């Protein structure tokens, strides 16, 4: 049995950013549409439509010159584009986050600019 799968995703994204000396914010909401078509060689075909949405955000806090705390978050409607039909057997929301502290080391004397 051979399957033919065709996926189309249209997802426009809006980008918003704001920053100061200490805090930087970035936000990216999106809303879209997904169309999936599949057909078996035996003739059975399936068409699937799904609304896709997402929100991605970043926040950077730099209280002193060489120290930075970052937080990243991604939340979206869990619509897959692989072997499963959209939102079937999946959690309705996909959530992912990352955080950490970055310490930038000072120059070790390799300054060659003259």
């Amino acid at each position: 049995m051979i399957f033919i799968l065709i996926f189309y995703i249209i997802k426009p994204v809006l980008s918003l950013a704001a920053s100061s000396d200490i805090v930087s914010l970035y936000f990216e909401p999106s809303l879209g549409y997904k169309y999936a078509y599949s057909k078996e060689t035996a003739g059975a075909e399936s068409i699937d439509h799904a609304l896709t949405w997402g929100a991605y955000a970043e926040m950077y806090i730099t209280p002193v010159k060489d120290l930075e705390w970052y937080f990243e978050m991604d939340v979206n409607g869990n619509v897959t584009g692989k072997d499963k039909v959209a939102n079937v057997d999946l959690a309705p929301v996909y959530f992912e986050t990352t955080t950490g502290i970055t310490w930038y080391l000072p120059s070790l004397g390799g300054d060659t600019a003259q």
Side-chain angles (χ1 to χ4, degrees):
M1 208 179 287
I2 298 175
F3 290 99
I4 298 171
L5 299 171
I6 300 172
F7 293 99
Y8 297 104
I9 298 176
I10 300 169
K11 194 171 185 179
V13 176
L14 174 66
S15 222
L16 305 168
S19 64
S20 70
D21 292 340
I22 297 174
V23 178
S24 295
L25 301 171
Y26 177 78
F27 182 62
E28 190 177 88
S30 62
L31 185 62
Y33 168 76
K34 177 184 174 188
Y35 170 83
Y37 171 81
S38 63
K39 183 176 182 181
E40 297 178 22
T41 55
E45 63 182 17
S46 170
I47 298 174
D48 183 43
H49 304 274
L51 179 66
T52 63
W53 60 272
Y56 175 78
E58 295 178 356
M59 179 174 64
Y60 293 89
I61 299 175
T62 310
V64 294
K65 180 182 172 190
D66 295 329
L67 187 65
E68 177 179 80
W69 174 67
Y70 65 91
F71 176 74
E72 300 172 2
M73 181 180 71
D74 186 14
V75 179
N76 58 59
N78 200 355
V79 177
T80 180
K82 287 193 168 188
D83 301 330
K84 295 187 178 207
V85 178
N87 291 337
V88 174
D89 298 330
L90 297 173
V93 176
Y94 176 78
F95 180 78
E96 181 179 16
T97 184
T98 305
T99 189
I101 296 175
T102 305
W103 176 36
Y104 298 98
L105 296 173
S107 174
L108 298 175
D111 209 10
T112 58
Q114 294 180 8

